[in-house]
Amino acid sequence: MANWEELRGRCMACRKCALAETRTNVVFGAGPRDAEVMFIGEGPGENEDLQGEPFVGKGGQLLDEMLSLIDLDRTRNFYITNIVKCRPPHNRDPLNTEQDACIGYLEEQIDLLKPKIIVCLGRIAAARLIKPDFKITREHGQWFRLEDGVWRMAIYHPAALLRDPDKRPDTFADLRALRAKIREVCTRTY
Ligand code: SF4
């Protein structure tokens, strides 16, 4: 199995799909490499592409603020990345072909990290990592446990929370459920 540095090196040099033509930076992921909790979005946006870091724009700042309320901090106790590591032009959804080309890197990250909990940020990540017909408005905040034993939940994407602040109370409730699950199944996060 790869180690983190080898995997990161391969990913940073990747040109397996057309997103390599338009990206500024590959956005590999951020956070401690022994975190028990992993957040996964769909792909980098403009700020992320420019800085090479995941979730650093306005949406990312909102996410960090909300997560700090349940004592989660990306420098300390969670890892964050995306399904595709390069920005889709104009922030469109990543195509299935792009997701298929890139998903192997995420699978290797999951193998290395061995998270106890995966939180999908938005419908596209949930459709890929929980079930294809995932309905974010109905199924956010619900727990799913697939055959690998990892607990999985989806919350609204931070960009959706910026567009529609009425969704925020639901997300606070989901985060309280996440905090309870962390206390139940994680040993080092808090
Ligand atoms: S999105 Fe993924 S598969 Fe496509 S070029 Fe970037 S790293 Fe490679």
Side-chain angles (χ1 to χ4, degrees):
M1 193 168 80
N3 64 40
W4 279 105
E5 286 316 314
E6 189 274 328
L7 173 60
R8 189 169 198 282
R10 245 188 305 128
C11 187
M12 299 305 279
C14 178
R15 308 197 67 84
K16 280 199 291 184
C17 83
L19 297 181
E21 308 298 323
T22 49
R23 74 182 179 219
T24 309
N25 286 295
V26 177
V27 182
F28 181 69
R33 292 170 175 181
D34 62 349
E36 296 172 297
V37 182
M38 190 173 193
F39 286 80
I40 303 172
E42 62 202 54
E46 184 180 14
N47 289 294
E48 291 74 18
D49 176 59
L50 291 172
Q51 296 182 43
E53 289 287 320
F55 289 92
V56 287
K58 276 191 184 150
Q61 286 166 17
L62 174 64
L63 181 68
D64 280 346
E65 282 166 27
M66 293 178 85
L67 293 182
S68 74
L69 298 175
I70 58 164
D71 301 313
L72 289 180
D73 178 331
R74 66 170 76 189
T75 66
R76 205 161 44 79
N77 57 5
F78 71 86
Y79 192 86
I80 186 162
T81 187
N82 286 293
I83 302 266
V84 297
K85 311 303 192 202
C86 303
R87 181 195 181 198
H90 311 295
N91 294 353
R92 64 159 169 74
D93 294 345
L95 305 175
N96 282 336
T97 51
E98 293 158 354
Q99 294 184 38
D100 290 345
C102 208
I103 196 79
Y105 297 119
L106 177 65
E107 288 168 352
E108 289 190 65
Q109 287 174 308
I110 292 171
D111 282 349
L112 286 167
L113 197 72
K114 297 184 180 58
K116 300 261 178 44
I117 296 173
I118 289 176
V119 181
C120 299
L121 297 165
R123 177 186 60 82
I124 290 178
R128 192 83 205 198
L129 297 168
I130 298 178
K131 55 178 185 163
D133 61 345
F134 195 91
K135 300 277 185 297
I136 190 80
T137 48
R138 226 177 39 223
E139 296 178 297
H140 67 83
Q142 292 183 22
W143 288 108
F144 296 81
R145 204 170 187 202
L146 308 189
E147 56 282 357
D148 62 4
V150 180
W151 290 96
R152 297 175 190 223
M153 172 208 268
I155 62 175
Y156 286 114
H157 194 281
L161 299 176
L162 284 177
R163 275 195 308 271
D164 182 2
D166 288 348
K167 289 189 163 74
R168 293 184 196 181
D170 277 356
T171 302
F172 282 121
D174 296 345
L175 293 179
R176 283 195 293 276
L178 171 60
R179 181 172 56 189
K181 183 61 78 182
I182 290 171
R183 286 187 174 137
E184 182 190 327
V185 304
C186 296
T187 54
R188 290 177 277 110
T189 299
Y190 288 150

